[in-house]
Amino acid sequence: MLRIHVSGVDLSRVRMATRPDAMWETILSFHRLRDRRGSTVFGKWRKESRTRLNGEARLLSTVVPPRGYFPDFLTPSQGSAEPFGLDAGMEALRDTPVDRIQEELGLLARNAPLARRASAGPPSAAALPEALAEGRTEPLGRLISTLRAYHRAAVEPYWPHIRASVEADRAVRGRALLDGGADELLATLPPMIRWRAPVLEADYPVDRELRLDGRGLLLQPSFFCRGTPVVYRDPSLPPVLVYPVTHPGAPAVAEPGPWLGRLVGHTRSAVLRSIGNGCTTSELARRTGVSLASASQHACVLREAGLVRTLRHGSSVLHTLTPLGAALIRGGAPLAVP
């Protein structure tokens, strides 16, 4: 059980990350790559990603075991609501002090010696943690290059879908924040997280007590987080709670299909534009001047075309634009990648 102690000051400083964090998604996706569970969401992604990998998994497995602790320095934090893109995250990783690398790798060795031996791979890969602990620049550069290559193979091709999932979650949390403040926001987090003021409890592999001490809490939704949330082991780091987004059960990548051909006509274009930063079906009907049934049908078509994402919010459903839908409204402007 994880228990996060939230004071009144901390509650006023709870904030949502503005987008997915490339470093968290990269490291957590490596967990999902070696996990057979969640095949509905991750099965196709695993199969496709493995065909693009070229030995990166052998080296990464020496610093990221299949389960349990992995070094905090692999997912650097700025201590703000602005998550890292890939380049900024890699630079922050490169700037990690040597003594911190040594301390966290020592902790990794004590916590997961069997996992490391089982997944160490060839001698050159197995020696990476020891080489990193020596403080030389070449091993750290090798780790960063490997992380970049892994990200390009397993995360970057799916970034629009990852971003859409996180933005849909943000829309739900943002509406809760507007409706009832930070209390309501914390109360609407996924079921494995429970707000029992003044403590935020969560399912967790070990017993942990985290005291925010007035620093607030950054909520970071993650596509590749699964089952339980994740926090830094080092309590002195800026508090971040990484939690899984809700997956509606669709594959990680939606293949283009004939649905796009149905996106013709003034009414459906108006529906797409009216969704904007998120709205319920009732709000969509009012904004576009159509019946509730018609608004629901249009939203269904747009969702199946990959232009809209829908999540349940209490007794209602909340529709948000995917990056593809937003790009269509912008006239085909390119989508950003991390």
Side-chain angles (χ1 to χ4, degrees), residues 1-322:
M1 177 77 72
L2 170 67
R3 298 175 182 86
I4 302 176
H5 298 268
V6 184
S7 69
V9 173
D10 293 314
L11 194 61
S12 69
R13 295 177 178 173
V14 171
R15 56 209 188 278
M16 285 293 303
T18 58
R19 62 176 187 265
D21 187 295
M23 301 300 288
W24 278 110
E25 297 298 345
T26 299
I27 298 301
L28 292 175
S29 73
F30 189 50
H31 283 282
R32 301 289 78 76
L33 189 74
R34 297 168 291 174
D35 186 353
R36 297 181 180 179
R37 295 170 296 177
S39 58
T40 301
V41 176
F42 301 114
K44 184 172 182 287
W45 165 80
R46 289 190 190 106
K47 182 178 179 180
E48 293 176 349
S49 296
R50 284 168 179 159
T51 64
R52 289 190 289 264
L53 293 174
N54 188 27
E56 293 87 358
R58 290 194 297 272
L59 188 143
L60 291 181
S61 64
T62 65
V63 291
V64 184
R67 61 187 62 85
Y69 172 78
F70 60 86
D72 290 336
F73 70 77
L74 293 174
T75 52
S77 172
Q78 300 183 89
S80 71
E82 191 64 26
F84 274 122
L86 185 65
D87 290 339
M90 293 300 178
E91 286 306 308
L93 175 55
R94 193 184 302 276
D95 293 338
T96 307
V98 174
D99 57 349
R100 180 181 169 190
I101 292 177
Q102 293 171 338
E103 179 181 353
E104 293 184 6
L105 288 176
L107 184 60
L108 175 66
R110 294 193 295 274
N111 280 7
L114 294 178
R116 287 182 59 206
R117 285 200 293 269
S119 59
S124 59
L128 179 66
E130 289 76 11
L132 285 169
E134 292 174 4
R136 293 184 282 119
T137 58
E138 186 276 330
L140 185 57
R142 184 183 177 200
L143 173 61
I144 290 172
S145 296
T146 302
L147 280 169
R148 282 187 180 276
Y150 172 81
H151 180 93
R152 284 195 299 268
V155 179
E156 185 175 294
Y158 309 95
W159 194 255
H161 185 85
I162 294 167
R163 196 175 71 179
S165 298
V166 169
E167 288 177 355
D169 183 273
R170 272 178 49 83
V172 172
R173 309 305 162 209
R175 182 164 290 248
L177 182 64
L178 290 174
D179 289 346
D183 270 296
E184 181 70 14
L185 168 62
L186 294 178
T188 62
L189 291 173
M192 78 286 297
I193 306 171
R194 299 164 294 278
W195 174 232
R196 294 170 178 167
V199 178
L200 189 63
E201 296 181 350
D203 298 339
Y204 208 67
V206 297
D207 283 334
R208 282 285 310 276
E209 303 282 339
L210 176 59
R211 300 186 182 277
L212 301 182
D213 296 328
R215 294 172 295 170
L217 181 66
L218 174 62
L219 300 174
Q220 177 67 65
S222 167
F223 182 84
F224 285 108
C225 185
R226 183 187 183 277
T228 61
V230 185
V231 296
Y232 289 126
R233 188 188 186 281
D234 185 349
S236 69
L237 293 173
V240 179
L241 180 68
V242 182
Y243 66 89
V245 299
T246 300
H247 295 289
V253 173
E255 295 292 342
W259 295 102
L260 290 177
R262 298 175 62 181
L263 296 176
V264 179
H266 174 76
T267 302
R268 193 157 293 148
S269 297
V271 168
L272 187 63
R273 294 177 186 277
S274 296
I275 288 174
N277 293 324
C279 66
T280 65
T281 305
S282 297
E283 290 168 341
L284 184 59
R286 289 196 299 269
R287 291 177 186 181
T288 55
V290 301
S291 69
L292 190 63
S294 180
S296 178
Q297 180 184 19
H298 286 305
C300 178
V301 173
L302 294 169
R303 181 171 62 253
E304 290 172 326
L307 303 177
V308 167
R309 186 173 177 85
T310 301
L311 289 179
R312 180 157 295 281
H313 175 61
S315 60
S316 303
V317 294
L318 185 66
H319 309 290
T320 59
L321 295 178
T322 67

